[in-house]
Amino acid sequence: MTNNTNDPSLDVVGIGNAIVDVLTTTDDSLLERLSLKKGSMTLIDENRAKELYEITTNRIQRSGGSAANSLACVAQLGGKSAFIGRVRDDMLGEIFTKEISTTGTIFKTAPSSVGPSTARCLIFVTPDAERTMCTYLGASVLLEPRDIDLSVVREAKILYLEGYLWDNPAAKNAFIKAAEIAKNAGRKVALSLSDSFCVSRHRESFIKLVDDHIDILFANEDEITTLYETSSLNTALEELKKKCDLAAITIGEKGSILISNGKEMKINPFTFGKAIDTTGAGDLYAGGFLKGLADGLKPELSAKIGSICAGHIVTQLGSRSNTDLLTLINSHLEH
């Protein structure tokens, strides 16, 4: 709890790409036919997005985007969450708005009536659980400071920022403005580095962002080693300890590493069956972790909650849990 006289009414507010995830199961031959490298994420234009959308038949369409997935997880765990992101006033924009609202997440950013269409990510999931993503960013990257409901930022215990948006200068300005507002209100600011290529493109400004504004950092092994320009995870972790009070570094099926007040702790993974789709694993780890922190739990317990959420979500298609995550957490944690 902060010293601010106005107690926050929300647990987490997030800013990120508002993307409709279009998931489809397929085999390797389709990827070869479409000249897609398995396991990759490719940015595509609107025409290519329409073309790929037409050839997907068994579609699952859900509100997506990294931060949006994390906030939906917070809501599913009984938390109060809000999302800020840009959609267009089109069919997919409507799908995004309706679907994220069904998770219990507040979404009130007005749709744009001009410019590119709503962002979408076409995710081809092969039998080995690999996901191959083609992303059209569309309207999502047009987020500007004026799009941010500043009162919502002040109302949340934690502001959560998605690194993918760092490619857009206007969105970057929105991030910094929101972070300053959160700090002035006595709140915590969290960041997901999102993507190692994004980190390499903006390494210096990410380091400055972490130094100046970030209390809680999420990254995977590739992202954190890219940030500190080293091939050694241990070297990167030593650098991180100097810069960040609290960080969680996911290391795939090996679990995660928690950095808390200069100390390092291994968090074991939770396994709930065969992995069929890794979409959203890192997002749900962050969502579970942030909900734990918002509830005042210690970082180690929060990281375990994140690990349970991530361990479960890979056993199903898509990043919205089909089972009650709270029940799952309570049955696997000792209180």
Side-chain angles (χ1 to χ4, degrees):
M1 194 58 68
T2 71
N3 295 322
N4 197 302
T5 52
N6 296 318
D7 289 342
S9 60
L10 294 169
D11 291 309
V12 187
V13 60
I15 305 176
N17 283 321
I19 300 175
V20 174
D21 282 344
V22 183
L23 287 107
T24 185
T25 50
T26 188
D27 54 26
D28 290 6
S29 63
L30 179 67
L31 300 182
E32 287 165 17
R33 203 166 79 237
L34 295 172
S35 303
L36 297 175
K37 183 187 174 189
K38 188 157 81 166
S40 66
M41 196 286 276
T42 309
L43 290 176
I44 56 174
D45 61 21
E46 190 158 11
N47 288 335
R48 178 69 162 161
K50 286 176 180 171
E51 176 192 320
L52 292 177
Y53 186 81
E54 289 305 317
I55 63 171
T56 60
T57 49
N58 53 337
R59 301 183 196 122
I60 295 176
Q61 298 185 133
R62 291 197 171 133
S63 59
S66 179
N69 289 338
S70 300
L71 292 162
C73 176
V74 170
Q76 189 169 9
L77 292 174
K80 293 179 179 175
S81 62
F83 177 67
I84 297 165
R86 170 65 80 208
V87 296
R88 178 70 202 266
D89 57 353
D90 53 18
M91 183 193 75
L92 286 176
E94 204 172 306
I95 288 172
F96 182 92
T97 303
K98 282 184 177 174
E99 209 281 326
I100 196 166
S101 298
T102 63
T103 70
T105 302
I106 298 164
F107 178 59
K108 291 183 176 175
T109 312
S112 175
S113 57
V114 294
S117 60
T118 296
R120 72 218 63 162
C121 180
L122 296 121
I123 304 171
F124 299 91
V125 183
T126 40
D128 57 1
E130 270 288 3
R131 56 190 177 143
T132 303
M133 301 188 288
C134 295
T135 306
Y136 167 61
L137 290 172
S140 70
V141 295
L142 300 181
L143 194 71
E144 297 181 51
R146 66 184 179 190
D147 295 320
I148 295 176
D149 181 346
L150 307 183
S151 64
V152 173
V153 172
R154 290 188 191 95
E155 280 301 314
K157 295 174 187 174
I158 302 168
L159 169 67
Y160 182 50
L161 305 172
E162 178 188 310
Y164 278 124
L165 270 178
W166 209 243
D167 277 326
N168 181 272
K172 186 190 285 191
N173 292 337
F175 261 28
I176 292 169
K177 187 171 183 180
E180 287 169 351
I181 286 160
K183 287 286 193 182
N184 289 337
R187 315 308 188 209
K188 296 290 187 186
V189 181
L191 170 72
S192 166
L193 288 181
S194 297
D195 177 74
S196 58
F197 296 109
C198 187
V199 173
S200 62
R201 285 194 295 274
H202 307 287
R203 188 179 158 271
E204 292 300 327
S205 61
F206 266 132
I207 284 177
K208 182 167 171 48
L209 180 68
V210 171
D211 286 355
D212 294 348
H213 295 291
I214 303 305
D215 302 298
I216 306 154
L217 184 71
F218 294 98
N220 64 24
E221 189 170 350
D222 284 346
E223 291 153 9
I224 203 66
T225 52
T226 300
L227 186 69
Y228 293 114
E229 287 187 315
T230 175
S231 57
S232 162
L233 177 59
N234 286 333
T235 302
L237 293 176
E238 289 306 313
E239 280 299 310
L240 184 58
K241 287 174 191 173
K242 301 172 194 171
K243 305 291 184 184
C244 212
D245 287 341
L246 186 57
I249 309 303
T250 53
I251 47 176
E253 60 193 19
K254 292 180 284 185
S256 58
I257 296 166
L258 177 68
I259 303 287
S260 181
N261 293 322
K263 293 179 181 173
E264 191 177 314
M265 186 180 300
K266 174 79 166 53
I267 305 295
N268 290 325
F270 285 80
T271 306
F272 298 100
K274 183 178 183 292
I276 63 167
D277 174 23
T278 54
T279 306
D283 304 336
L284 267 79
Y285 180 97
F289 193 109
L290 291 171
K291 175 60 167 61
L293 291 181
D295 285 347
L297 301 179
K298 290 182 178 177
E300 183 183 0
L301 189 52
S302 299
K304 286 179 179 176
I305 291 170
S307 190
I308 290 169
C309 293
H312 163 68
I313 207 66
V314 299
T315 65
Q316 59 159 73
L317 198 61
S319 52
R320 298 284 182 272
S321 177
N322 296 331
T323 63
D324 186 338
L325 286 174
L326 263 182
T327 302
L328 193 69
I329 289 162
N330 289 332
S331 65
H332 285 83
L333 287 183
E334 295 173 9
H335 289 280

